Amino acid sequence: METDLTDRPIVPEAVPEPVTARLALDDNQVALAFYGERNVNLKLIGETTGVTVHSRGNEVTLVGHADAVELTRNLITQLYAMVHRGTPLHPQDIGRAAAVLRADRRADLREVFSDTILVAGRARPIAPKGLAQKRYVDAIRNHDIVFGIGPAGTGKTYLAMALAIRALMEKQVKRIILTRPAVEAGERLGFLPGSMEEKISPYLRPLYDALHDMMDFEKADQLIERGMIEVAPIAFMRGRTLNDAFVILDEAQNTTTEQMKMFLTRLGFESKAVITGDVTQIDLPDNRKSGLREAEALLRGIEGISFCTFTEVDVVRHPLVQQIIRAYDAASAAAATARAAISRAGSPVMAIAQPVAVPVHGPERVLPEG
């Protein structure tokens, strides 16, 4: 006899009961600094983790689902300890710290955020701003060749340059070489007037900008004049052997197979190479294969070479950049799915990618280092 499923009573799913946890902070003055003006930091912690956070004196009460409460307890405990040691806490730090703990509940926030690579101009320390950046920095320290692959704004080139400058200052290397392919980003600039240096300068400007952000203009120019820092297009690397050097290849997604092979085989003794790029922003002609994509497929698993991958979660620019990257990725995935479906059906009709409505939630907070 068949059973009519419509006659069965619908049993609602059990909603987990909220739990309550209390934390006692041991220093009233430090607790006030940790709470922020008008408890702004506690409010932001609650918004970030989805937990209700109350404070009374030096006691903090958490109410919410068990998993979220445990995350919040861990977050408050570690951030309070950092404030207790004298580290200033900025509102932007909270979201980044929560993201680190979501990725790894056992992560030590102090180890991640206090790993100062370089004290740049204006006494501004440069340090990892998340777990992915910390792993990337450690990979560069421990490997001779490192690939940093991910979207723009994740700090791939910036952190590599900070490590290169520190290595030069500590005399671990004798020179820094910064290079990138001279490829136009989708448009055609046509003939550029001037000397060879003036022609290639626009392509290398982002590297100069990052360099001048880390040291005084005069100091940087002196090192460039003495040949201790060299900025050049990748075509100028051919035929060279780079010994005692820290070499950074930026925008590597726009290298061809031949250029990538040529670059990687330039590495000499006591040298280190960092290759950065975003495989979603390839500006090569359609019939040219990206050297970065091919290197990723061929070189993974070779001892001494490390691949570090970033996602939109690791973006440390304006919070809206995360949402923008996510929207474009979703549209690209939808277009690829449509093309695959037409290919399976054997239709000769060309697929036209339609705009895809992507739900945009409030921007995730991205925190500068504290």
Side-chain angles (χ1 to χ4, degrees):
M1 179 177 178
E2 294 185 359
T3 302
D4 187 355
L5 297 179
T6 60
D7 293 338
R8 293 183 178 179
I10 299 175
V11 180
E13 293 186 7
V15 178
E17 290 290 330
V19 300
T20 300
R22 291 180 174 82
L23 295 173
L25 308 181
D26 61 1
D27 188 311
N28 287 338
Q29 290 299 113
V30 176
L32 289 174
F34 171 70
Y35 295 163
E37 187 176 354
R38 297 184 181 179
N39 288 348
V40 63
N41 290 337
L42 289 184
K43 292 175 183 176
L44 189 51
I45 289 172
E47 293 172 4
T48 303
T49 62
V51 169
T52 302
V53 182
H54 299 293
S55 66
R56 186 173 183 178
N58 66 335
E59 184 177 273
V60 179
T61 302
L62 312 176
V63 181
H65 298 311
D67 190 58
V69 166
E70 183 56 34
L71 170 67
T72 308
R73 180 204 294 270
N74 190 4
L75 179 64
I76 289 177
T77 300
Q78 294 205 49
L79 289 179
Y80 173 76
M82 292 173 65
V83 173
H84 203 291
R85 286 190 291 265
T87 302
L89 178 64
H90 303 288
Q92 301 93 327
D93 297 332
I94 293 167
R96 186 173 297 121
V100 169
L101 293 178
R102 284 194 187 100
D104 183 357
R105 293 294 177 92
R106 296 173 297 178
D108 184 340
L109 294 181
R110 183 187 181 191
E111 181 181 343
V112 173
F113 296 123
S114 300
D115 183 6
T116 301
I117 301 168
L118 182 72
V119 177
R122 303 175 296 279
R124 181 175 52 81
I126 298 173
K129 296 180 180 179
L131 197 58
Q133 288 195 355
K134 171 62 176 172
R135 290 169 176 165
Y136 177 60
V137 167
D138 288 342
I140 294 174
R141 287 170 174 155
N142 298 323
H143 296 82
D144 289 335
I145 298 178
V146 175
F147 287 81
I149 302 174
T154 49
K156 306 180 298 294
T157 304
Y158 198 81
L159 289 173
M161 192 170 295
L163 287 162
I165 291 174
R166 178 163 183 171
L168 182 66
M169 292 169 59
E170 295 180 351
K171 299 184 179 179
Q172 298 173 17
V173 296
K174 293 181 179 178
R175 56 181 169 162
I176 297 171
I177 299 175
L178 311 173
T179 185
R180 65 187 301 180
V183 175
E184 298 160 353
E187 71 275 21
R188 294 291 178 265
L189 300 180
F191 173 77
L192 294 176
S195 65
M196 178 63 70
E197 183 176 334
E198 291 170 332
K199 291 177 188 290
I200 65 176
S201 179
Y203 299 102
L204 305 176
R205 176 50 52 191
L207 296 176
Y208 282 109
D209 290 344
L211 178 62
H212 291 145
D213 194 43
M214 295 181 192
M215 59 173 55
D216 295 335
F217 279 81
E218 292 183 3
K219 178 67 173 176
D221 291 343
Q222 287 176 3
L223 293 174
I224 291 172
E225 288 176 5
R226 292 164 59 188
M228 298 178 71
I229 296 180
E230 177 183 347
V231 185
I234 192 171
F236 288 18
M237 299 295 107
R238 187 174 297 279
R240 303 175 62 181
T241 300
L242 307 176
N243 293 317
D244 297 303
F246 197 122
V247 193
I248 300 172
L249 169 58
D250 188 29
E251 296 291 329
Q253 76 274 5
N254 289 326
T255 59
T256 63
T257 296
E258 296 79 11
Q259 286 176 324
M260 179 62 75
K261 179 182 177 183
M262 179 271 292
F263 172 80
L264 292 173
T265 54
R266 299 307 94 198
L267 203 63
F269 295 106
E270 303 299 325
S271 290
K272 189 181 292 287
V274 179
I275 301 96
T276 68
D278 177 3
V279 293
T280 68
Q281 295 192 22
I282 296 173
D283 299 312
L284 293 170
D286 293 338
N287 61 338
R288 302 301 297 272
K289 181 183 292 185
S290 168
L292 178 59
R293 276 186 168 169
E294 187 169 37
E296 184 179 11
L298 293 176
L299 304 180
R300 276 191 184 273
I302 295 181
E303 187 175 354
I305 299 179
S306 175
F307 284 84
C308 298
T309 303
F310 297 85
T311 68
E312 79 281 352
V313 175
D314 306 309
V315 170
V316 291
R317 290 180 179 170
H318 192 288
L320 286 176
V321 174
Q322 291 185 352
Q323 302 296 325
I324 292 168
I325 292 170
R326 194 173 291 124
Y328 274 98
D329 287 348
S332 297
T337 301
R339 287 194 297 269
I342 290 175
S343 177
R344 286 194 299 269
S347 170
V349 180
M350 294 294 291
I352 300 177
Q354 298 295 328
V356 178
V358 179
V360 178
H361 308 289
E364 296 179 21
R365 297 180 178 270
V366 180
L367 333 162
E369 81 185 70

